[in-house]
Amino acid sequence: LLNCALWMCIVLNPHCKPEQKAAWLRQLKKWNSVDVCPLEDGNHGNELPNLTNALPQGAHGNQDSGTRPHRTVFTRAIEACDLHWQDSHLQHIINDDLYTNYCYHDNTENSLFDSRGWLLWHEHVPTACARVDALRSHGYPREALRLAIAIVNTLRRQQQKQLELFRNHKKDLLHKGVTSITNLEGWVGHPLDPIGTLFSTLMETGRGDEDSSQGGFLDFSGTKIELHLFPSTRRFLEEGESYLALAVETALMGLGQQRIMPDGLYAQEKVCRNEEHLIAKLQEVDLDDTLVKIFRKQAVFLLEGGPYSGLGELIYRESVPMHTFAKYLFTCLLPHDAELAYKIALRAMRLPVLESTAPSGDMSRPHHIVSVVPNRYPRWFTLSHIESQQCELASTMLTAAKGDARSLETVLESIQKNIHSSSHIFKLAQDAFKIATLMDSLPDITLLKVSLELGLQVMRMTLSTLNWRRREMVRWLVTCATEVGVYALDSIMQSWFTLFTPTEATSIVATTVMSNSTIVRLHLDCHQQENLASSARTLALQCAMKDPQNCALSALTLCEKDHIAFETAYQIVLDAATTGMSYTQLFTIARYMEHRGYPMRAYKLATLAMAHLNLSYNQDTHPAINDVLWACALSHSLGKNELAAIIPLVVKSVKCATVLSDILRRCTLTTPGMVALHSRRNSGKLMSLDKAPLRQLLDATIGAYINTTHSRLTHISPRHYSEFIEFLSKARETFLMAHDGHIQFTQFIDNLKQIYKGKKKLMMLVRERFG
């Protein structure tokens, strides 16, 4: 947007001849009408009225904004072609040292002088500042300085009047709970950078003042002007006031102005950049007593200035947030007036654009407070930057409040009320934790508690919403609670259901609490250890009740050392086995039980798992096959009765022939119960394939081979013929295990030849192999 300010300087040249200005106007209009001409705020949706001509001076002063729907980088310069320098008061301001208060009436809105008889200039502020910029650029530094001082005096007078005006209507406005915005365009982030222009004009002179004792010269736009030419302007400064102090006050007034967030990504980024640039310039200034007084004065105005201030009691929903500016003010004021510093920072923490109940505009207020209620949904492209600045402000306050319990409590309340991003609150919790546990001193327990409180808020905020950092957050919270002490750990376990999912509570919270490292960190005696473990076990059982699928195994593991709790957890698993758990989960717990030395419990759970399982004829690579083989091996090792009980379940659940034949083969190789510690009397001989339960398994396996064969033949292609013949060979091995198996298999093959005689090549291969 340099173009915008640059063309303003060109057309505002005080010695520009009319024909030159007319030529510029033609050229600017030509460029302005080109389709690709850059827009002022980089956004096509903005249609502001003509803002440059606050004091219309030419024939086109009140041109209808409808004729120019889009404001380009040249629009302001085109509007500025209507401006001139012939106004007698303006001429007096920039030229006449002897012009004094001969017509002072301070009660009028647009008085030419203030109560001290000092000159005022009431033009639209950005336009007036563009004149200052033009004077400087064209080699008139003294005149630029005089006009800048008149503008700043006008701003200060307006500020005082605004304060009085708001105080008179404060009760009414606050009672209604509404506010207004008094500026469509803010001065900070404005395309013409009015505050930046005033600040640099005054600062350059201010630095010159400091150098004047060395007989220095000021260099304005390549023209060296001796300092003694400037003294006349000093008549317009307070006793003991400096240009530097005036510059600083101007910057503070601009930065604190309540202004609406502009449309468009470019314009919004410019607001942030301008603000940060101005604050960086202010940070170069060393604060002395005079400047601290100005900071105090402006801070009080900001707090009491109503709709004119970005830090008024009520602010418009879409006004530019004050976080960055307030952080700077807080840092400056803290050593001199901590109470005022905190008031400013806490007031600035608001972010009403994210609030559903933020004050809205109201048209029924006193006529002299302008209200703008643009009907648009806020599209804040810089919102993530704004939220991070809000977080920075909060972090600055937390750091400063270390050791001050009352301030910490107030800051904590403000964070909980105003920050809506869980990741930013988490960052603040981590910041507070780091500050509280610095290595060189004992932990600050109050700040640790603030850290924990913020952590708990994050847990509640992210409990029902997905957050990719959730596991990290939960682990961190347990660490933080451990630092606070055993009662904090106990507390989060008592109220786990408001903070964690059952899985998190068992797999992270309770597991960490019962780990050796936590016990060592807390220096617990046996009694305290047992109390903490008891809380962890209670939590684990509650989680297992609520979510047995995901928590039962963790609960059993956590309750291993307590017989009653372990029995309770096992009972929860049994109760949930029929309804709430899958065969995978039940097999996992069954294997765990075997590992812990409870084979009968493992067997019981395995039989419950089998009831949920369904393996079809073609699922010969199903992940549950290993579990089925394990369950049968376990039953086999326990004895004939257990094996006899599980085989009907296997037959019902498994329809895959290869899996069934594998189980059958394993069962016939060894005697049931031989692996068990206490062998039964009848477990000394192999089981017969002609009797139950193996006969049932053998029949089921043969049946599965027959069904699978028919299923495969329905859609078989020649490339699978050889694979199919191998499959029949495996089937024959199973058929032959039956005493009449040979006859059964021959009949089976004959049936195939008859039914599938159309598949001549395949049947020829069958004859070759099986006759």
Side-chain angles (χ1 to χ4, degrees):
L1 288 184
L2 279 172
N3 273 354
C4 189
L6 179 65
W7 284 108
M8 285 287 278
C9 279
I10 290 168
V11 301
L12 281 173
N13 179 352
H15 288 295
C16 187
K17 294 183 173 62
E19 56 272 22
Q20 283 177 300
K21 193 177 271 194
W24 281 127
L25 183 59
R26 281 195 302 276
Q27 184 62 63
L28 289 167
K29 282 185 171 175
K30 184 178 168 187
W31 288 336
N32 193 59
S33 62
V34 176
D35 286 344
V36 293
C37 181
L39 298 185
E40 186 174 81
D41 66 355
N43 180 52
H44 280 268
N46 196 6
E47 298 186 7
L48 287 175
N50 177 335
L51 291 165
T52 305
N53 291 317
L55 293 178
Q57 293 177 317
H60 312 293
N62 286 322
Q63 193 166 4
D64 178 24
S65 64
T67 59
R68 282 195 212 97
H70 301 307
R71 297 182 63 80
T72 74
V73 289
F74 302 114
T75 305
R76 288 177 196 271
I78 291 167
E79 292 170 357
C81 288
D82 292 339
L83 301 175
H84 54 72
W85 296 84
Q86 273 73 60
D87 185 277
S88 59
H89 183 62
L90 177 61
Q91 287 294 319
H92 284 308
I93 289 171
I94 59 179
N95 288 318
D96 191 351
D97 290 342
L98 302 174
Y99 185 50
T100 52
N101 171 17
Y102 61 81
C103 58
Y104 162 61
H105 299 290
D106 189 42
N107 56 350
T108 60
E109 190 70 30
N110 293 322
S111 170
L112 302 181
F113 300 89
D114 68 8
S115 54
R116 299 166 299 192
W118 289 359
L119 299 156
L120 302 174
W121 180 240
H122 289 282
E123 193 170 25
H124 179 241
V125 173
T127 309
C129 293
R131 289 184 189 274
V132 174
D133 201 14
L135 288 168
R136 284 172 74 202
S137 303
H138 292 289
Y140 301 98
R142 187 183 75 115
E143 288 80 355
L145 179 63
R146 291 171 64 101
L147 181 54
I149 292 169
I151 294 167
V152 174
N153 282 334
T154 310
L155 294 183
R156 292 205 288 193
R157 177 177 178 268
Q158 278 175 356
Q159 193 183 53
Q160 197 52 46
K161 292 222 172 283
Q162 286 166 351
L163 186 59
E164 290 162 13
L165 180 65
F166 176 64
R167 279 176 177 161
N168 293 338
H169 295 282
K170 179 177 178 177
K171 195 173 177 184
D172 181 40
L173 289 174
L174 293 181
H175 175 68
K176 283 183 183 174
V178 293
T179 188
S180 59
I181 194 95
T182 54
N183 283 285
L184 260 175
E185 293 189 302
W187 302 331
V188 173
H190 191 281
L192 301 176
D193 191 21
I195 297 296
T197 300
L198 293 176
F199 185 77
S200 51
T201 304
L202 293 164
M203 282 297 282
E204 283 178 18
T205 314
R207 289 197 184 99
D209 277 359
E210 291 159 21
D211 298 341
S212 59
S213 54
Q214 283 84 37
F217 287 84
L218 279 180
D219 187 354
F220 286 101
S221 309
T223 313
K224 293 207 168 188
I225 309 288
E226 289 188 40
L227 287 166
H228 66 257
L229 297 178
F230 284 78
S232 59
T233 55
R234 281 205 154 281
R235 290 193 307 106
F236 303 109
L237 295 179
E238 291 273 13
E239 183 77 28
E241 190 174 44
S242 66
Y243 292 119
L244 178 123
L246 206 58
V248 168
E249 184 158 19
T250 305
L252 297 181
M253 282 194 283
L255 287 163
Q257 175 199 39
Q258 186 180 188
R259 52 202 183 270
I260 200 162
M261 179 66 84
D263 268 337
L265 171 62
Y266 185 89
Q268 290 178 16
E269 283 181 342
K270 189 167 170 57
V271 167
C272 295
R273 281 198 308 274
N274 259 36
E275 181 179 45
E276 283 162 8
H277 179 70
L278 250 176
I279 289 170
K281 291 279 183 200
L282 283 170
Q283 282 168 332
E284 293 171 12
V285 177
D286 294 326
L287 290 194
D288 57 17
D289 290 347
T290 311
L291 291 179
V292 169
K293 275 182 192 159
I294 289 170
F295 270 80
R296 276 204 171 111
K297 170 188 154 190
Q298 285 300 325
V300 169
F301 171 78
L302 284 170
L303 291 170
E304 297 180 9
Y308 307 97
S309 157
L311 290 167
E313 276 182 65
L314 289 173
I315 51 167
Y316 184 69
R317 183 169 182 263
E318 289 176 51
S319 63
V320 173
M322 296 278 124
H323 310 127
T324 314
F325 178 42
K327 181 185 160 191
Y328 167 70
L329 279 182
F330 178 80
T331 314
C332 293
L333 285 168
L334 191 65
H336 309 286
D337 189 339
E339 190 181 347
L340 186 58
Y342 276 107
K343 270 186 188 168
I344 287 281
L346 290 164
R347 182 71 67 80
M349 278 290 288
R350 304 169 295 191
L351 190 47
V353 79
L354 296 181
E355 302 278 354
S356 53
T357 55
S360 56
D362 171 47
M363 303 306 286
S364 63
R365 72 180 58 76
H367 68 278
H368 39 251
I369 298 181
V370 186
S371 174
V372 177
V373 190
N375 186 19
R376 64 181 173 93
Y377 182 76
R379 292 187 68 210
W380 283 26
F381 301 99
T382 52
L383 189 59
S384 62
H385 172 76
I386 287 163
E387 284 192 282
S388 65
Q389 290 298 301
Q390 182 191 33
C391 182
E392 283 294 311
L393 173 61
S395 186
T396 306
M397 282 197 281
L398 280 177
T399 310
K402 182 177 179 178
D404 178 350
R406 197 167 127 267
S407 295
L408 277 175
E409 191 179 336
T410 315
V411 175
L412 173 65
E413 282 172 17
S414 178
I415 291 167
Q416 290 176 319
K417 181 183 172 194
N418 295 301
I419 297 186
H420 301 276
S421 154
S422 56
S423 48
H424 281 131
I425 296 177
F426 184 49
K427 182 192 176 297
L428 288 169
Q430 290 175 305
D431 286 353
F433 185 76
K434 281 175 197 159
I435 302 161
T437 54
L438 287 172
M439 299 304 289
D440 57 348
S441 61
L442 284 168
D444 181 314
I445 194 66
T446 317
L447 194 50
L448 262 182
K449 284 179 182 171
V450 166
S451 174
L452 179 66
E453 201 57 51
L454 291 173
L456 294 172
Q457 187 179 352
V458 172
M459 290 297 103
R460 288 189 283 266
M461 285 172 83
T462 56
L463 180 58
S464 55
T465 56
L466 290 172
N467 188 304
W468 63 275
R469 296 182 70 190
R470 176 77 186 173
R471 279 185 77 79
E472 178 200 347
M473 290 167 167
V474 175
R475 288 183 192 285
W476 178 86
L477 185 79
V478 178
T479 308
C480 181
T482 308
E483 283 297 316
V484 175
V486 68
Y487 67 92
L489 281 176
D490 200 49
S491 171
I492 65 169
M493 288 196 290
Q494 300 286 347
S495 56
W496 69 268
F497 44 88
T498 64
L499 305 168
F500 315 108
T501 64
T503 313
E504 290 166 347
T506 50
S507 65
I508 303 176
V509 182
T511 309
T512 311
V513 167
M514 290 183 75
S515 68
N516 284 333
S517 57
T518 304
I519 290 161
V520 170
R521 183 87 189 92
L522 290 167
H523 311 296
L524 301 182
D525 59 35
C526 293
H527 180 65
Q528 289 172 316
Q529 279 183 45
E530 184 43 46
N531 284 346
L532 199 59
S534 175
S535 289
R537 287 193 291 266
T538 304
L539 173 148
L541 292 172
Q542 288 171 346
C543 293
M545 289 283 285
K546 200 169 181 68
D547 184 4
Q549 291 180 309
N550 297 309
C551 301
L553 184 60
S554 295
L556 286 163
T557 312
L558 289 162
C559 296
E560 277 173 2
K561 292 178 181 173
D562 184 286
H563 178 70
I564 295 171
F566 188 78
E567 288 300 316
T568 309
Y570 175 61
Q571 195 56 50
I572 290 168
V573 174
L574 292 180
D575 292 344
T578 49
T579 51
M581 298 184 78
S582 69
Y583 61 83
T584 316
Q585 290 154 342
L586 288 168
F587 274 131
T588 306
I589 297 168
R591 284 176 181 260
Y592 159 81
M593 282 295 185
E594 187 199 32
H595 176 68
R596 296 300 307 158
Y598 297 107
M600 286 308 292
R601 291 183 174 191
Y603 166 76
K604 170 81 173 163
L605 291 167
T607 60
L608 291 168
M610 290 299 296
H612 292 285
L613 183 63
N614 187 16
L615 271 183
S616 64
Y617 76 92
N618 58 352
Q619 290 182 298
D620 51 0
T621 56
H622 193 282
I625 290 170
N626 280 334
D627 287 323
V628 174
L629 294 173
W630 167 82
C632 290
L634 173 70
S635 308
H636 193 278
S637 72
L638 289 171
K640 188 178 175 182
N641 294 342
E642 287 74 18
L643 185 61
I646 205 165
I647 281 174
L649 297 174
V650 172
V651 167
K652 189 178 177 187
S653 302
V654 180
K655 301 289 180 271
C656 182
T658 50
V659 177
L660 288 170
S661 63
D662 200 358
I663 296 167
L664 185 63
R665 195 164 291 103
R666 290 174 189 220
C667 289
T668 54
L669 289 177
T670 53
T671 306
M674 291 303 282
V675 189
L677 294 172
H678 308 291
S679 300
R680 317 256 164 89
R681 266 200 318 264
N682 62 349
S683 61
K685 54 182 185 291
L686 290 170
M687 291 174 76
S688 167
L689 284 168
D690 290 334
K691 294 178 186 168
L694 290 191
R695 179 73 211 192
Q696 187 185 1
L697 181 59
L698 177 60
D699 290 346
T701 310
I702 290 169
Y705 270 116
I706 293 168
N707 290 336
T708 307
T709 302
H710 288 299
S711 297
R712 290 180 73 161
L713 282 169
T714 313
H715 302 293
I716 198 163
S717 65
R719 71 173 187 276
H720 292 126
Y721 285 177
S722 59
E723 187 189 316
F724 177 72
I725 297 298
E726 289 308 311
F727 173 75
L728 283 183
S729 299
K730 282 187 181 173
R732 180 168 61 180
E733 289 171 21
T734 303
F735 271 85
L736 293 178
M737 292 172 84
H739 76 275
D740 57 348
H742 182 74
I743 299 162
Q744 278 193 59
F745 188 71
T746 307
Q747 285 175 346
F748 172 52
I749 293 294
D750 288 344
N751 277 346
L752 290 184
K753 289 178 200 169
Q754 193 61 37
I755 297 167
Y756 302 101
K757 59 187 174 192
K759 299 183 188 291
K760 288 176 182 167
K761 189 180 176 190
L762 179 58
M763 290 307 119
M764 187 183 76
L765 292 172
V766 170
R767 276 193 203 92
E768 278 178 16
R769 177 70 73 93
F770 306 108

